[in-house]
């Protein structure tokens, strides 16, 4: 809790309420709750959120696509993409959109405005929440006492999204299907694994590698083509 002092014997120069900032406010910032550098940094982070969201959503779409193909004959299909559950959680209904919406609703309530209108899916809602928050951030830093906790929450959210989008360092390897690289008349077929701290998938047997989102798509398409061919051969043999 932060109180701008009113009594002389308690006098201390007012400071920014953002956790971790505590910068003394300038004379021309008197009466504000949060300092201008915090406002500028928050505005910049907010502006980056829609792009980060789209990036994570693309990854999530590929993971969802992979996971729906589980089961089937032999159960050999495994998602070629490291299943980062944090990504799915952030782009889902309780993720980024809900966290931005909670801040927007609190601001609206304080301003005496109606609650936020229905913004649609998280994909549709995130840019709209961001627009609202950017437009009203100057008011919040100026007049909204709890703004410090929202600035901290937006900083945390931005940090989580940036870390996931750029491939956070985490230990562990996950199986990502069999290597579809052509070898001789057939295929390599070694078990591929991906480290969850890297986007790079490399076959230890034949050296084939896939690194970008586009290459993951290529990898999955190749794995599916190999699997389809295998099934066709099985059916042929059974006939
Ligand atoms: Zn500050
Ligand atoms: Zn291989």
């Amino acid at each position: 809790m932060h109180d701008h002092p009113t009594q002389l014997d308690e006098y201390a120069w007012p400071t920014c309420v953002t956790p971790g900032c505590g910068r003394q406010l300038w004379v021309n910032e008197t009466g504000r709750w949060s300092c201008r550098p915090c406002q500028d940094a928050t505005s910049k982070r907010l502006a980056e959120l829609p792009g980060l969201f789209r990036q994570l959503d693309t990854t999530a779409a590929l993971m969802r696509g992979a996971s729906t193909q589980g089961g089937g004959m032999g159960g050999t299909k495994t998602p070629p993409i490291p299943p980062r559950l944090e990504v799915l959680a952030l782009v889902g209904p309780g993720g980024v959109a809900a966290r931005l919406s909670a801040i927007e609703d609190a601001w609206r309530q304080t301003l005496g405005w109606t609650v936020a209108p229905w913004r649609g899916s998280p994909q549709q809602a995130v840019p709209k929440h961001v627009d609202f928050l950017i437009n009203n951030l100057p008011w919040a830093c100026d007049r909204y006492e709890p703004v410090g906790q929202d600035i901290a929450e937006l900083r945390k959210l931005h940090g989580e999204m940036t870390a996931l989008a750029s491939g956070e360092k985490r230990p562990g390897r996950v199986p990502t299907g069999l290597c579809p690289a052509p070898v001789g008349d057939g295929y390599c077929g070694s078990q591929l694994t991906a480290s969850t701290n890297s986007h790079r998938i490399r076959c230890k047997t034949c050296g084939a590698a896939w690194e970008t989102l586009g290459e993951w798509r290529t990898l999955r398409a190749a794995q599916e083509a190999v699997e389809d061919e295998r099934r066709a051969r099985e059916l042929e043999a059974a006939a």
Side-chain angles (χ1 to χ4, degrees):
M1 206 57 177
H2 177 94
D3 285 307
H4 285 166
T6 50
Q7 290 178 321
L8 203 58
D9 58 354
E10 288 176 358
Y11 190 80
W13 196 262
T15 54
C16 172
V17 295
T18 304
C21 177
R23 189 178 151 272
Q24 289 197 341
L25 297 172
W26 293 96
V27 174
N28 64 6
E29 295 177 319
T30 308
R32 291 171 62 97
W33 292 105
S34 198
C35 71
R36 282 184 200 283
C38 279
Q39 179 181 326
D40 293 345
T42 304
S43 185
K44 190 162 164 287
R45 287 190 196 106
L46 276 167
E48 288 172 4
L49 291 190
L52 284 166
F53 185 88
R54 277 194 301 276
Q55 208 177 328
L56 294 179
D57 195 38
T58 308
T59 306
L62 283 172
M63 296 195 313
R64 275 193 290 267
S67 64
T68 55
Q69 290 163 3
M73 287 171 69
T76 50
K77 282 197 179 185
T78 40
I81 292 155
R84 292 233 199 84
L85 294 178
E86 302 98 317
V87 173
L88 291 176
L90 276 179
V91 300
V96 177
R99 287 162 71 177
L100 295 176
S101 167
I103 298 174
E104 174 170 346
D105 282 342
W107 289 12
R108 282 177 173 273
Q109 203 170 18
T110 306
L111 285 162
W113 296 355
T114 55
V115 294
W118 168 240
R119 306 286 209 191
S121 67
Q123 290 76 7
Q124 297 165 319
V126 165
K128 292 174 189 160
H129 290 307
V130 164
D131 281 348
F132 176 93
L133 295 177
I134 287 176
N135 289 337
N136 292 284
L137 183 65
W139 161 81
C141 290
D142 203 32
R143 302 287 184 82
Y144 183 59
E145 183 174 352
V147 70
Q149 72 194 31
D150 292 341
I151 289 177
E153 160 72 355
L154 291 169
R155 186 171 56 201
K156 185 165 170 285
L157 185 60
H158 181 269
E160 288 172 37
M161 293 172 80
T162 307
L164 283 171
S166 63
E168 197 177 20
K169 294 270 176 284
R170 274 172 190 273
R173 299 194 74 85
V174 291
T176 52
L178 304 181
C179 178
V183 172
D185 295 339
Y187 300 95
C188 171
S190 300
Q191 177 65 55
L192 296 173
T193 60
S195 156
T196 43
N197 66 13
S198 163
H199 283 156
R200 188 172 155 86
I201 296 169
R202 186 178 173 279
C203 177
K204 282 187 180 133
T205 308
C206 75
W210 299 265
E211 188 152 6
T212 62
L213 217 52
E215 288 175 0
W216 284 351
R217 284 198 189 93
T218 308
L219 167 60
R220 200 163 86 199
Q223 286 176 319
E224 281 166 9
V226 168
E227 179 68 9
D228 289 347
E229 206 180 299
R230 191 186 64 78
R231 285 185 201 185
R233 272 201 310 273
E234 273 180 8
L235 286 174
E236 214 171 275

